[in-house]
Amino acid sequence: MNLQGKTALVTGASRGIGREIALELARLGANVVVNYAGNESMAAAVAEEIKALGGECFIHRANVADSEQVQQMVKETIDRFGQLHILVNNAGITRDNLLMRMKDSEWDDVMNTNLKGVFLTTKAVTRQMMKQRDGRIINISSIVGFSGNAGQVNYSATKAGIIGLTKSTAKELASRNITVNAVAPGFITTDMTDQLSEEVKQELYKQIPLGRLGEPKDIAKTVAFLASDNSSYITGQTIHVNGGMYM
Amino acid sequence: MSEVLERVTKIIVDRLGVDESKVTLEATFKDDLGADSLDVVELVMELEDEFGLQFSDEDSEKILTVGNAVDYINSKL
Ligand SMILES: NC(=O)c1ccc[n+]([C@@H]2O[C@H](COP(=O)([O-])OP(=O)(O)OC[C@H]3O[C@@H](n4cnc5c(N)ncnc54)[C@H](OP(=O)(O)O)[C@@H]3O)[C@@H](O)[C@H]2O)c1
């Protein structure tokens, strides 16, 4: 696989899965824009690693839930690289609580970042991708958008919502050679899952046929495939990367 | 033909692959020129680039005919 000469924008790329996606796309030769919300030093460290690989890269702070900030980020990407082929909508947060205890703000925060963020970023890149007649949009959903999860009514709703958004966008943009797909990770070792207790993890292993949590690189490799020419006839689909936990 | 109409016509002919004679002021993009909704969005994008203008979403929705586009552009130039 080769992404030489392509430009990729990865949201939430300062840590976890997004970081690994940014690195993987850079290894394959893409220019990468590393988006982050606040963690500048971590984003800068990702950029350093990419530069060490010989890749072109810059970091850009933007809240994906803010229309103006997103438009500015896309504009800077195009000003700098002249084009934009790959968008990975990876930024996401959790605000877990039982339904009965969930605050409106917990619902709204997760909706805004996880779902509205995907809408705004996708909308912002579409003009350029339509002009190019070439685009790859990859949205990071989650296993819990399919299976549900106690304590995550807000989060699981956004992750299921991403699937509808993915399919509708795929239908709208297919005629312009833009593919739109989703990747639904199972439980992956990142800051998001480090919060789980050892007990919970032991329970989890029993539910995962492959018997381990996933690694960020398991997701990154799948995203790279969907960003590459090898997947040019795939659109509107979801690839589940979960060790067999949900089939 | 006004200069604006000339430039608009050229873009429509290029983008939609229609005969220039069909591009009249009264022609509707969808019915007369065979554009689908996405074609119209793309045309507006190209007109924005060509004339260095920004069409608001509300205004774009009102552009149904070639004449609407020409009038709109003239009102902004
Ligand atoms: N980890 C899992 O097991 C798992 C499973 C299924 C799905 N996922 C999904 O995979 C994606 C990445 O998860 P992760 O575990 O890697 O998360 P993470 O380690 O918590 O990292 C979250 C990333 O998103 C960024 N971010 C948060 N809010 C943002 C906003 N409003 N605007 C822009 N960036 C924002 C963060 O930037 P800062 O560093 O600046 O805060 C950070 O780079 C998420 O969509 C998540 O839902 C994860």
Side-chain angles (χ1 to χ4, degrees):
Chain A
M1 278 192 298
N2 186 345
L3 299 175
Q4 215 74 43
K6 304 279 185 185
T7 298
L9 168 59
V10 183
T11 68
S14 47
R15 291 183 277 136
I17 294 171
R19 171 181 192 281
E20 202 54 44
I21 292 170
L23 288 169
E24 182 64 20
L25 298 179
R27 270 181 215 115
L28 294 169
N31 304 318
V32 180
V33 180
V34 172
N35 161 255
Y36 65 102
N39 232 317
E40 179 158 356
S41 60
M42 300 211 65
V46 177
E48 283 310 309
E49 266 196 66
I50 290 177
K51 284 177 189 149
L53 292 165
E56 292 238 21
C57 174
F58 69 90
I59 65 172
H60 190 100
R61 179 180 187 148
N63 175 0
V64 292
D66 181 311
S67 180
E68 264 171 38
Q69 291 182 26
V70 167
Q71 286 173 39
Q72 185 58 30
M73 172 167 69
V74 170
K75 182 177 179 300
E76 278 185 29
T77 303
I78 295 164
D79 286 349
R80 169 81 178 268
F81 293 118
Q83 48 191 0
L84 175 51
H85 303 95
I86 301 159
L87 167 66
V88 185
N89 283 309
N90 164 82
I93 58 169
T94 51
R95 296 283 182 272
D96 297 352
N97 215 335
L98 292 174
L99 170 67
M100 300 282 294
R101 300 199 185 287
M102 188 167 288
K103 298 184 196 68
D104 291 7
S105 62
E106 291 169 335
W107 173 268
D108 291 341
D109 287 352
V110 172
M111 283 293 147
N112 285 336
T113 300
N114 295 16
L115 193 53
K116 187 178 180 193
V118 176
F119 158 66
L120 291 176
T121 316
T122 302
K123 183 173 171 190
V125 303
T126 302
R127 183 188 186 106
Q128 178 66 25
M129 288 186 179
M130 276 172 61
K131 270 198 219 167
Q132 291 168 187
R133 291 284 190 273
D134 181 5
R136 295 297 160 97
I137 300 173
I138 299 136
N139 298 325
I140 306 301
S141 173
S142 168
I143 186 171
V144 304
F146 294 80
S147 62
N149 197 19
Q152 293 197 311
V153 288
N154 51 358
Y155 180 81
S156 62
T158 63
K159 294 300 176 176
I162 283 175
I163 302 303
L165 186 158
T166 298
K167 291 179 181 179
S168 299
T169 314
K171 286 190 175 176
E172 276 191 30
L173 302 180
S175 65
R176 302 311 192 259
N177 195 32
I178 299 169
T179 67
V180 191
N181 292 290
V183 175
F187 285 80
I188 309 297
T189 53
T190 65
D191 293 347
M192 207 178 254
T193 47
D194 279 351
Q195 301 161 13
L196 302 174
S197 67
E198 196 47 44
E199 221 182 319
V200 172
K201 281 186 191 165
Q202 287 303 329
E203 273 309 305
L204 268 177
Y205 295 145
K206 290 185 200 150
Q207 298 168 42
I208 303 173
L210 287 176
R212 62 172 177 90
L213 297 189
E215 301 287 332
K217 75 170 177 356
D218 294 317
I219 307 306
K221 299 268 183 201
T222 309
V223 169
F225 166 68
L226 289 172
S228 77
D229 286 342
N230 292 351
S231 64
S232 53
Y233 199 52
I234 300 177
T235 196
Q237 307 301 315
T238 303
I239 302 188
H240 292 269
V241 184
N242 60 27
M245 189 175 182
Y246 171 89
M247 298 186 184
Chain B
M1 204 158 46
S2 79
E3 193 226 332
V4 170
L5 176 59
E6 224 170 281
R7 285 158 72 187
V8 170
T9 303
K10 184 173 182 317
I11 287 178
I12 294 170
V13 168
D14 284 351
R15 169 62 56 208
L16 300 177
V18 292
D19 203 90
E20 198 177 319
S21 64
K22 290 194 137 183
V23 188
T24 61
L25 287 174
E26 298 75 38
T28 60
F29 290 109
K30 287 191 180 164
D31 293 331
D32 299 328
L33 301 172
D36 65 17
S37 320
L38 200 56
D39 290 326
V40 178
V41 173
E42 264 188 320
L43 272 175
V44 168
M45 274 166 31
E46 280 195 48
L47 294 173
E48 287 181 333
D49 289 346
E50 171 77 19
F51 294 95
L53 297 171
Q54 280 269 41
F55 294 34
S56 72
D57 287 341
E58 295 90 72
D59 291 343
S60 306
E61 281 165 19
K62 292 188 203 121
I63 296 178
L64 305 174
T65 66
V66 176
N68 294 154
V70 171
D71 289 346
Y72 184 76
I73 292 163
N74 276 325
S75 77
K76 295 279 169 178
L77 286 178

